[in-house]
Amino acid sequence: MHTKVKAAKGTPFERDFDGEITSLEPYAPASQGGDPETFFWRHRWELSETADGTLLVNVESFTGTMAEGVPAQTREVVTAEFDAFNQALLRVLVEAQAEGVSGGV
């Protein structure tokens, strides 16, 4: 599934790029995008049940000529983006649980 992504919205690092959802498995959705020559990313979210609730792990890898520099230069922005996404995902999951939705969420 093709996507349009806006990253680092409202910062000097704001950028638009094409992405692709590569997996919609309920507990391991994944996406990828960018330019394979200069900066290409792969992202996977891993959700698992624990005794204390749900554990969410973000896994991301980068390739291309800018793969080392971009994450180092934008670490604060990327961390803020992950935090915002994780909080949004938590809200969706809590709302789904409150509505009695399970399984595919």
XYZ file of all heavy atoms in Angstrom:
804
model
N 0.840 -1.156 0.000
C 0.000 0.000 0.000
C 0.903 1.242 0.000
O 1.760 1.377 0.850
C -0.892 -0.025 1.244
C -1.709 1.234 1.416
S -2.601 1.339 3.002
C -3.323 -0.252 3.160
N 0.692 2.127 -0.943
C 1.494 3.340 -1.091
C 1.016 4.407 -0.107
O -0.175 4.559 0.124
C 1.380 3.860 -2.520
C 2.218 5.056 -2.780
N 1.707 6.334 -2.735
C 3.535 5.194 -3.059
C 2.672 7.192 -2.984
N 3.788 6.528 -3.186
N 1.953 5.156 0.479
C 1.609 6.228 1.409
C 2.422 7.479 1.104
O 3.464 7.412 0.467
C 1.894 5.829 2.869
O 3.299 5.599 3.023
C 1.137 4.591 3.271
N 1.929 8.614 1.539
C 2.677 9.870 1.529
C 2.970 10.189 2.986
O 2.064 10.161 3.821
C 1.868 11.008 0.907
C 1.698 10.887 -0.581
C 2.973 11.253 -1.278
C 2.769 11.349 -2.769
N 3.989 11.698 -3.450
N 4.209 10.497 3.294
C 4.624 10.720 4.679
C 5.171 12.130 4.833
O 5.953 12.592 4.009
C 5.710 9.688 5.088
C 6.176 9.933 6.505
C 5.189 8.277 4.912
N 4.749 12.815 5.891
C 5.339 14.097 6.266
C 6.048 13.839 7.588
O 5.419 13.500 8.578
C 4.303 15.190 6.429
C 4.932 16.533 6.844
C 3.924 17.654 6.924
C 3.403 18.088 5.602
N 4.317 18.669 4.636
N 7.346 14.007 7.584
C 8.135 13.763 8.789
C 8.613 15.077 9.380
O 8.810 16.057 8.668
C 9.332 12.875 8.449
N 8.805 15.078 10.686
C 9.359 16.224 11.418
C 8.559 17.496 11.169
O 9.119 18.585 11.035
C 10.820 16.412 11.069
N 7.241 17.363 11.120
C 6.362 18.499 10.810
C 6.636 19.673 11.745
O 6.727 19.523 12.957
C 4.910 18.056 10.930
C 3.917 19.097 10.491
C 2.513 18.557 10.533
C 1.526 19.608 10.088
N 0.164 19.101 10.111
N 6.772 20.857 11.152
C 6.973 22.070 11.913
C 8.390 22.310 12.399
O 8.631 23.208 13.188
N 9.347 21.509 11.927
C 10.747 21.691 12.316
C 11.570 22.005 11.078
O 11.094 21.839 9.947
C 11.319 20.414 12.966
O 11.536 19.425 11.942
C 10.386 19.854 14.034
N 12.826 22.419 11.259
C 13.683 22.650 10.093
C 13.927 21.381 9.270
O 14.357 21.449 8.127
C 14.994 23.151 10.708
C 14.633 23.658 12.052
C 13.466 22.825 12.501
N 13.638 20.217 9.856
C 13.871 18.946 9.169
C 12.614 18.409 8.486
O 12.599 17.281 7.997
C 14.402 17.900 10.162
C 15.670 18.315 10.831
C 15.665 18.749 12.145
C 16.870 18.297 10.141
C 16.835 19.145 12.765
C 18.045 18.684 10.759
C 18.032 19.114 12.075
N 11.540 19.223 8.448
C 10.290 18.771 7.840
C 10.539 18.317 6.404
O 11.261 18.961 5.652
C 9.256 19.894 7.844
C 7.906 19.445 7.308
C 6.832 20.497 7.473
O 6.748 21.114 8.559
O 6.078 20.698 6.513
N 9.944 17.176 6.052
C 10.146 16.637 4.715
C 8.956 15.758 4.338
O 8.287 15.209 5.199
C 11.447 15.854 4.629
C 11.475 14.639 5.537
C 12.850 14.364 6.122
N 12.876 13.223 7.001
C 12.649 13.283 8.304
N 12.328 14.392 8.885
N 12.724 12.197 9.040
N 8.706 15.669 3.052
C 7.682 14.784 2.500
C 8.379 13.692 1.712
O 9.370 13.960 1.024
C 6.756 15.551 1.547
C 5.936 16.599 2.262
O 5.291 16.246 3.268
O 5.952 17.759 1.823
N 7.882 12.487 1.812
C 8.431 11.416 0.997
C 7.401 10.317 0.809
O 6.402 10.268 1.521
C 9.744 10.870 1.563
C 9.679 10.459 3.010
C 9.305 9.189 3.388
C 10.014 11.366 4.003
C 9.259 8.819 4.705
C 9.972 11.008 5.336
C 9.595 9.731 5.690
N 7.652 9.463 -0.162
C 6.778 8.333 -0.424
C 7.130 7.197 0.519
O 8.295 7.000 0.860
C 6.939 7.845 -1.870
C 6.416 8.854 -2.867
O 5.449 9.560 -2.539
O 6.977 8.937 -3.976
N 6.123 6.468 0.909
C 6.331 5.303 1.753
C 5.474 4.154 1.268
O 4.683 4.295 0.329
N 5.652 3.031 1.905
C 4.906 1.833 1.540
C 4.660 1.016 2.800
O 5.592 0.768 3.568
C 5.717 1.017 0.537
C 5.108 -0.299 0.178
C 6.014 -1.142 -0.720
O 7.198 -0.807 -0.885
O 5.522 -2.151 -1.225
N 3.412 0.641 3.039
C 3.099 -0.276 4.128
C 3.448 -1.666 3.612
O 2.929 -2.109 2.585
C 1.610 -0.220 4.517
C 1.191 1.206 4.878
C 1.314 -1.207 5.636
C 1.890 1.800 6.063
N 4.353 -2.345 4.298
C 4.802 -3.646 3.819
C 4.202 -4.805 4.602
O 4.297 -5.951 4.184
C 6.339 -3.746 3.877
O 6.774 -3.527 5.223
C 6.974 -2.737 2.944
N 3.589 -4.508 5.753
C 2.948 -5.553 6.532
C 1.840 -4.932 7.362
O 2.019 -3.869 7.953
C 3.946 -6.241 7.468
O 3.264 -7.103 8.373
N 0.713 -5.597 7.417
C -0.382 -5.183 8.287
C -0.713 -6.290 9.282
O -1.833 -6.377 9.780
C -1.619 -4.812 7.464
C -1.519 -3.492 6.717
C -2.733 -3.289 5.813
C -1.375 -2.331 7.676
N 0.289 -7.129 9.562
C 0.076 -8.168 10.560
C -0.351 -7.492 11.852
O 0.194 -6.447 12.218
C 1.349 -8.973 10.782
C 1.752 -9.806 9.588
C 3.016 -10.603 9.869
O 3.185 -11.071 11.018
O 3.828 -10.738 8.955
N -1.320 -8.044 12.570
C -1.855 -7.362 13.750
C -0.806 -6.967 14.799
O -0.942 -5.946 15.427
C -2.838 -8.377 14.327
C -3.240 -9.218 13.178
C -2.024 -9.277 12.278
N 0.224 -7.753 14.978
C 1.188 -7.451 16.037
C 2.556 -7.061 15.491
O 3.509 -6.933 16.248
C 1.301 -8.627 17.003
C -0.030 -8.923 17.649
C -0.809 -9.996 17.237
C -0.534 -8.078 18.634
C -2.050 -10.228 17.814
C -1.772 -8.309 19.209
C -2.520 -9.385 18.793
O -3.754 -9.604 19.353
N 2.666 -6.852 14.188
C 3.952 -6.451 13.608
C 3.755 -5.678 12.307
O 4.254 -6.070 11.260
C 4.828 -7.679 13.369
N 3.027 -4.542 12.357
C 2.924 -3.745 11.127
C 4.297 -3.201 10.738
O 5.152 -2.991 11.597
C 1.956 -2.621 11.506
C 1.984 -2.554 12.989
C 2.334 -3.930 13.476
N 4.508 -2.973 9.448
C 5.808 -2.498 8.971
C 5.612 -1.547 7.798
O 4.615 -1.608 7.092
C 6.678 -3.682 8.545
N 6.598 -0.675 7.611
C 6.573 0.249 6.479
C 8.001 0.518 6.027
O 8.961 0.204 6.725
C 5.879 1.557 6.855
O 6.598 2.221 7.874
N 8.120 1.083 4.840
C 9.431 1.450 4.314
C 9.253 2.579 3.320
O 8.164 2.826 2.825
C 10.114 0.270 3.645
C 9.407 -0.233 2.391
C 10.094 -1.437 1.777
O 10.782 -2.178 2.452
N 9.895 -1.630 0.497
N 10.353 3.293 3.042
C 10.270 4.360 2.064
C 11.569 5.116 1.930
O 12.554 4.831 2.613
N 11.563 6.086 1.045
C 12.740 6.895 0.800
C 13.404 6.551 -0.514
O 12.865 5.817 -1.337
N 14.589 7.077 -0.690
C 15.389 6.851 -1.896
C 16.467 5.818 -1.582
O 17.348 6.083 -0.762
C 16.031 8.171 -2.335
C 16.905 8.032 -3.561
O 17.185 6.897 -3.999
O 17.316 9.075 -4.087
N 16.433 4.639 -2.212
C 17.411 3.597 -1.906
C 18.872 4.037 -2.066
O 19.750 3.523 -1.383
C 17.071 2.469 -2.891
C 15.641 2.693 -3.234
C 15.442 4.183 -3.197
N 19.126 5.002 -2.930
C 20.507 5.452 -3.139
C 20.997 6.373 -2.026
O 22.150 6.290 -1.620
C 20.637 6.170 -4.485
C 20.371 5.289 -5.682
C 21.405 4.169 -5.812
O 22.606 4.441 -5.609
O 20.993 3.032 -6.107
N 20.125 7.272 -1.543
C 20.574 8.268 -0.577
C 20.103 8.002 0.844
O 20.896 8.032 1.778
C 20.133 9.689 -0.986
O 18.711 9.706 -1.130
C 20.787 10.112 -2.281
N 18.798 7.765 1.041
C 18.294 7.523 2.390
C 17.010 6.713 2.305
O 15.978 7.194 1.843
C 18.023 8.850 3.113
C 17.687 8.658 4.564
C 18.680 8.322 5.476
C 16.397 8.816 5.018
C 18.379 8.133 6.818
C 16.077 8.632 6.355
C 17.079 8.298 7.254
N 17.093 5.474 2.734
C 15.962 4.555 2.696
C 15.765 4.000 4.097
O 16.730 3.646 4.776
C 16.255 3.411 1.712
C 15.051 2.567 1.405
C 14.126 2.985 0.464
C 14.846 1.366 2.055
C 13.010 2.212 0.174
C 13.733 0.584 1.774
C 12.813 1.008 0.827
N 14.513 3.949 4.557
C 14.233 3.460 5.896
C 13.255 2.298 5.868
O 12.443 2.171 4.966
C 13.668 4.584 6.775
C 12.473 5.264 6.168
C 12.487 6.384 5.405
C 11.104 4.843 6.218
N 11.215 6.701 4.985
C 10.345 5.773 5.471
C 10.446 3.786 6.813
C 8.970 5.670 5.320
C 9.079 3.683 6.657
C 8.360 4.620 5.928
N 13.389 1.451 6.868
C 12.429 0.370 7.121
C 12.032 0.480 8.587
O 12.899 0.613 9.451
C 13.064 -0.995 6.859
C 13.276 -1.283 5.403
C 13.857 -2.689 5.185
N 13.961 -2.978 3.786
C 14.976 -2.607 3.011
N 15.981 -1.925 3.513
N 14.986 -2.906 1.735
N 10.735 0.445 8.849
C 10.243 0.583 10.222
C 9.270 -0.549 10.517
O 8.444 -0.900 9.683
C 9.526 1.931 10.394
C 9.272 2.261 11.824
N 9.976 3.219 12.494
C 8.401 1.738 12.727
C 9.555 3.287 13.747
N 8.588 2.389 13.900
N 9.405 -1.098 11.722
C 8.514 -2.175 12.165
C 8.101 -1.869 13.604
O 8.909 -1.422 14.412
C 9.246 -3.513 12.091
C 8.370 -4.700 12.379
C 9.116 -6.023 12.145
N 10.112 -6.272 13.172
C 11.433 -6.256 12.990
N 11.935 -6.010 11.804
N 12.264 -6.484 13.963
N 6.837 -2.061 13.894
C 6.325 -1.920 15.253
C 6.011 -3.321 15.735
O 5.305 -4.067 15.067
C 5.058 -1.079 15.283
C 5.262 0.326 14.831
C 5.529 1.409 15.615
C 5.196 0.824 13.485
N 5.644 2.528 14.845
C 5.448 2.207 13.542
C 4.964 0.241 12.243
C 5.463 3.015 12.411
C 4.984 1.040 11.119
C 5.224 2.412 11.203
N 6.542 -3.695 16.884
C 6.289 -5.019 17.441
C 5.487 -4.857 18.727
O 5.920 -4.185 19.656
C 7.608 -5.732 17.735
C 8.463 -5.938 16.499
C 9.843 -6.483 16.813
O 10.207 -6.583 18.006
O 10.561 -6.795 15.857
N 4.322 -5.465 18.749
C 3.454 -5.418 19.928
C 3.371 -6.807 20.535
O 3.167 -7.796 19.822
C 2.048 -4.968 19.518
C 1.961 -3.535 19.030
C 0.931 -3.396 17.936
C 1.659 -2.621 20.194
N 3.535 -6.883 21.854
C 3.403 -8.176 22.520
C 2.786 -7.972 23.896
O 2.956 -6.933 24.529
C 4.761 -8.876 22.632
O 5.672 -8.065 23.348
N 2.037 -8.973 24.324
C 1.416 -8.918 25.639
C 2.435 -9.291 26.697
O 3.255 -10.193 26.495
C 0.238 -9.882 25.708
C -0.974 -9.406 24.942
C -2.180 -10.297 25.180
O -2.456 -10.639 26.339
O -2.820 -10.639 24.185
N 2.389 -8.579 27.820
C 3.219 -8.909 28.975
C 2.300 -8.999 30.182
O 1.115 -8.656 30.100
C 4.302 -7.830 29.231
O 3.642 -6.634 29.675
C 5.118 -7.552 27.988
N 2.838 -9.399 31.308
C 2.044 -9.478 32.533
C 1.533 -8.100 32.946
O 0.493 -7.982 33.595
C 2.872 -10.097 33.653
N 2.246 -7.050 32.557
C 1.883 -5.684 32.943
C 1.076 -4.938 31.887
O 0.740 -3.777 32.076
C 3.152 -4.879 33.250
C 3.916 -5.459 34.419
O 3.275 -5.924 35.377
O 5.154 -5.464 34.368
N 0.812 -5.534 30.753
C 0.074 -4.855 29.689
C 0.635 -5.201 28.328
O 0.922 -6.352 28.041
N 0.846 -4.176 27.506
C 1.349 -4.371 26.151
C 2.703 -3.700 26.003
O 2.890 -2.563 26.425
C 0.373 -3.771 25.119
O -0.895 -4.414 25.257
C 0.880 -3.979 23.695
N 3.637 -4.408 25.409
C 4.965 -3.874 25.135
C 5.018 -3.472 23.664
O 4.673 -4.262 22.787
C 6.039 -4.923 25.411
C 7.472 -4.545 25.034
C 7.962 -3.375 25.884
C 8.390 -5.749 25.194
N 5.425 -2.224 23.386
C 5.592 -1.733 22.025
C 7.067 -1.474 21.794
O 7.702 -0.743 22.543
C 4.809 -0.436 21.811
C 5.108 0.326 20.512
C 4.734 -0.502 19.285
C 4.407 1.665 20.506
N 7.613 -2.073 20.734
C 9.010 -1.871 20.361
C 9.036 -1.317 18.938
O 8.406 -1.875 18.039
C 9.818 -3.194 20.426
C 11.241 -2.983 19.951
C 9.785 -3.770 21.832
N 9.743 -0.202 18.744
C 9.971 0.367 17.416
C 11.321 -0.136 16.926
O 12.316 -0.013 17.633
C 10.041 1.896 17.482
C 8.704 2.533 17.722
O 7.849 2.477 16.867
N 8.523 3.136 18.876
N 11.337 -0.674 15.711
C 12.583 -1.132 15.110
C 12.742 -0.395 13.786
O 11.848 -0.430 12.944
C 12.558 -2.653 14.857
C 13.842 -3.119 14.211
C 12.277 -3.413 16.150
N 13.852 0.296 13.601
C 14.053 1.047 12.370
C 15.478 0.834 11.873
O 16.415 0.788 12.659
C 13.788 2.536 12.596
C 13.640 3.297 11.304
C 12.830 4.560 11.457
O 13.104 5.346 12.381
O 11.916 4.767 10.646
N 15.604 0.712 10.553
C 16.929 0.601 9.942
C 17.015 1.556 8.765
O 16.000 1.913 8.160
C 17.198 -0.837 9.484
O 16.280 -1.212 8.473
N 18.242 2.005 8.468
C 18.483 2.975 7.414
C 19.591 2.484 6.502
O 20.566 1.892 6.974
C 18.915 4.323 8.004
C 17.992 4.846 9.061
C 18.300 4.724 10.396
C 16.798 5.459 8.708
C 17.451 5.208 11.373
C 15.942 5.948 9.682
C 16.265 5.823 11.015
N 19.456 2.754 5.201
C 20.520 2.464 4.240
C 20.654 3.651 3.297
O 19.798 4.524 3.249
C 20.217 1.186 3.424
O 18.959 1.351 2.751
C 20.168 -0.056 4.313
N 21.727 3.684 2.547
C 21.983 4.765 1.595
C 23.130 5.642 2.059
O 23.632 5.522 3.175
N 23.534 6.547 1.200
C 24.707 7.384 1.484
C 24.509 8.308 2.680
O 25.488 8.712 3.310
C 25.077 8.228 0.251
O 23.937 9.027 -0.124
C 25.492 7.355 -0.924
N 23.269 8.647 3.022
C 23.009 9.539 4.154
C 22.561 8.781 5.407
O 22.166 9.390 6.407
C 21.943 10.567 3.765
C 22.369 11.474 2.631
S 21.016 12.520 1.994
C 20.491 13.387 3.453
N 22.671 7.452 5.382
C 22.133 6.623 6.460
C 22.760 6.896 7.824
O 22.095 6.764 8.839
C 22.281 5.143 6.113
N 24.016 7.280 7.869
C 24.636 7.562 9.159
C 24.352 8.980 9.623
O 24.087 9.215 10.798
C 26.140 7.327 9.076
C 26.510 5.866 9.002
C 28.013 5.654 9.064
O 28.683 6.405 9.792
O 28.492 4.740 8.385
N 24.393 9.944 8.731
C 24.277 11.343 9.110
C 22.890 11.789 9.499
O 22.715 12.524 10.477
N 21.879 11.369 8.756
C 20.518 11.861 9.014
C 20.030 11.480 10.408
O 19.590 12.351 11.162
C 19.535 11.403 7.912
C 18.100 11.703 8.309
C 19.882 12.076 6.597
N 20.103 10.215 10.816
C 19.614 9.892 12.167
C 20.384 10.636 13.262
O 19.787 11.088 14.240
C 19.821 8.378 12.273
C 19.807 7.907 10.866
C 20.461 9.007 10.074
N 21.682 10.797 13.100
C 22.472 11.499 14.114
C 22.069 12.964 14.203
O 21.965 13.527 15.294
C 23.958 11.372 13.794
N 21.800 13.594 13.072
C 21.446 15.012 13.041
C 20.016 15.272 13.490
O 19.692 16.373 13.925
C 21.633 15.576 11.630
C 23.060 15.612 11.179
C 23.172 15.967 9.693
O 22.181 16.249 9.039
N 24.383 15.932 9.183
N 19.157 14.279 13.367
C 17.735 14.498 13.654
C 17.224 13.634 14.808
O 16.020 13.459 14.957
C 16.885 14.215 12.397
O 17.060 12.843 12.018
C 17.269 15.124 11.250
N 18.123 13.118 15.639
C 17.723 12.183 16.705
C 16.613 12.763 17.597
O 15.637 12.079 17.902
C 18.917 11.771 17.550
C 18.546 10.721 18.586
C 19.715 9.936 19.106
N 20.649 9.481 18.119
C 20.503 8.408 17.324
N 19.409 7.695 17.403
N 21.433 8.071 16.456
N 16.721 14.013 18.024
C 15.696 14.604 18.893
C 14.345 14.660 18.187
O 13.312 14.365 18.786
C 16.098 16.016 19.321
C 17.087 16.042 20.451
C 17.350 17.464 20.935
O 16.438 18.313 20.828
O 18.465 17.714 21.403
N 14.358 15.046 16.915
C 13.116 15.136 16.150
C 12.506 13.750 15.972
O 11.307 13.556 16.173
C 13.366 15.808 14.785
C 12.140 15.716 13.889
C 13.786 17.255 14.979
N 13.334 12.769 15.604
C 12.837 11.409 15.397
C 12.289 10.839 16.704
O 11.221 10.214 16.722
C 13.943 10.504 14.804
C 13.524 9.050 14.807
C 14.294 10.955 13.399
N 12.982 11.074 17.807
C 12.505 10.588 19.099
C 11.151 11.215 19.434
O 10.233 10.524 19.893
C 13.530 10.896 20.206
O 14.754 10.224 19.887
C 13.047 10.428 21.569
N 11.000 12.515 19.191
C 9.720 13.182 19.434
C 8.628 12.601 18.535
O 7.487 12.417 18.973
C 9.855 14.685 19.213
N 8.971 12.304 17.269
C 7.988 11.705 16.361
C 7.556 10.332 16.863
O 6.367 10.007 16.855
C 8.567 11.583 14.953
C 8.701 12.893 14.229
C 9.357 12.737 12.868
O 10.125 11.770 12.656
O 9.101 13.587 12.010
N 8.516 9.506 17.287
C 8.176 8.184 17.815
C 7.291 8.324 19.046
O 6.303 7.608 19.197
C 9.430 7.390 18.183
C 10.145 6.776 17.014
C 11.414 6.259 17.174
C 9.576 6.708 15.756
C 12.092 5.684 16.106
C 10.246 6.140 14.689
C 11.503 5.623 14.875
N 7.647 9.244 19.949
C 6.842 9.435 21.158
C 5.419 9.841 20.801
O 4.458 9.317 21.373
C 7.484 10.483 22.072
C 8.758 9.988 22.732
O 9.012 8.765 22.713
O 9.507 10.837 23.265
N 5.263 10.782 19.871
C 3.933 11.231 19.456
C 3.157 10.080 18.813
O 1.963 9.875 19.097
C 4.039 12.408 18.490
N 3.822 9.319 17.936
C 3.156 8.184 17.296
C 2.748 7.153 18.348
O 1.627 6.641 18.321
C 4.051 7.526 16.246
C 3.408 6.298 15.674
C 2.483 6.400 14.645
C 3.676 5.045 16.195
C 1.851 5.275 14.148
C 3.050 3.916 15.702
C 2.133 4.027 14.679
N 3.654 6.846 19.268
C 3.362 5.834 20.281
C 2.174 6.255 21.141
O 1.323 5.428 21.476
C 4.583 5.579 21.156
C 5.704 4.917 20.380
O 5.510 4.379 19.306
N 6.898 4.981 20.931
N 2.085 7.543 21.504
C 0.963 8.025 22.297
C -0.339 7.937 21.493
O -1.389 7.580 22.040
C 1.218 9.449 22.782
C 2.313 9.544 23.834
C 2.025 8.669 25.044
O 0.932 8.674 25.582
N 3.012 7.901 25.455
N -0.278 8.269 20.202
C -1.470 8.163 19.349
C -1.907 6.709 19.221
O -3.100 6.398 19.290
C -1.187 8.767 17.973
N -0.954 5.810 19.045
C -1.268 4.384 18.952
C -1.891 3.905 20.258
O -2.883 3.175 20.250
C -0.012 3.578 18.619
C -0.191 2.069 18.504
C -1.200 1.714 17.413
C 1.153 1.400 18.238
N -1.353 4.334 21.385
C -1.915 3.958 22.679
C -3.366 4.423 22.797
O -4.233 3.660 23.225
C -1.073 4.550 23.813
C -1.612 4.316 25.226
C -1.678 2.832 25.552
C -0.749 5.064 26.241
N -3.652 5.664 22.386
C -5.028 6.174 22.452
C -5.966 5.312 21.608
O -7.066 4.975 22.031
C -5.084 7.632 21.997
C -4.572 8.608 23.039
C -4.866 10.048 22.678
N -4.260 10.480 21.422
C -3.016 10.928 21.293
N -2.214 10.972 22.341
N -2.563 11.302 20.123
N -5.528 4.949 20.402
C -6.361 4.119 19.524
C -6.617 2.760 20.171
O -7.755 2.264 20.172
C -5.694 3.946 18.138
C -6.382 2.857 17.331
C -5.689 5.263 17.388
N -5.592 2.160 20.739
C -5.751 0.842 21.356
C -6.653 0.906 22.582
O -7.502 0.037 22.780
C -4.384 0.256 21.721
C -3.480 -0.066 20.537
C -2.106 -0.507 21.025
C -4.098 -1.128 19.641
N -6.497 1.946 23.404
C -7.335 2.095 24.591
C -8.793 2.321 24.180
O -9.712 1.724 24.750
C -6.819 3.236 25.494
C -7.835 3.608 26.564
C -5.497 2.845 26.129
N -9.018 3.169 23.167
C -10.374 3.403 22.686
C -10.980 2.122 22.119
O -12.154 1.821 22.372
C -10.382 4.501 21.629
C -10.117 5.883 22.176
C -9.892 6.930 21.111
O -10.130 6.654 19.905
O -9.480 8.052 21.457
N -10.194 1.367 21.372
C -10.688 0.116 20.791
C -11.041 -0.870 21.912
O -12.060 -1.550 21.842
C -9.649 -0.486 19.861
N -10.199 -0.922 22.945
C -10.467 -1.819 24.059
C -11.747 -1.402 24.782
O -12.571 -2.228 25.136
C -9.292 -1.832 25.029
C -9.446 -2.827 26.142
C -8.254 -2.831 27.064
O -7.612 -1.816 27.274
N -7.957 -3.996 27.629
N -11.938 -0.102 24.978
C -13.138 0.399 25.649
C -14.403 0.081 24.849
O -15.466 -0.125 25.432
C -13.021 1.918 25.871
N -14.271 0.035 23.525
C -15.414 -0.276 22.671
C -15.595 -1.784 22.471
O -16.476 -2.215 21.765
C -15.242 0.409 21.317
C -15.300 1.919 21.403
C -14.964 2.599 20.083
O -14.802 1.901 19.065
O -14.848 3.836 20.086
N -14.696 -2.572 23.072
C -14.808 -4.017 22.981
C -14.223 -4.608 21.717
O -14.506 -5.739 21.372
N -13.408 -3.829 21.000
C -12.769 -4.327 19.789
C -11.497 -5.066 20.194
O -10.739 -4.579 21.007
C -12.416 -3.169 18.826
C -11.681 -3.682 17.609
C -13.677 -2.427 18.432
N -11.264 -6.237 19.616
C -10.039 -6.972 19.925
C -9.599 -7.743 18.694
O -10.231 -7.710 17.664
C -10.287 -7.938 21.077
O -11.239 -8.918 20.696
N -8.500 -8.438 18.863
C -7.997 -9.282 17.771
C -7.196 -8.536 16.761
O -5.992 -8.566 16.788
N -7.832 -7.807 15.812
C -7.119 -7.158 14.739
C -6.606 -5.774 15.064
O -6.145 -5.076 14.201
N -6.684 -5.349 16.322
C -6.235 -4.007 16.667
C -4.870 -4.069 17.280
O -4.544 -4.899 18.038
C -7.221 -3.325 17.641
C -6.696 -1.949 18.033
C -8.580 -3.224 17.025
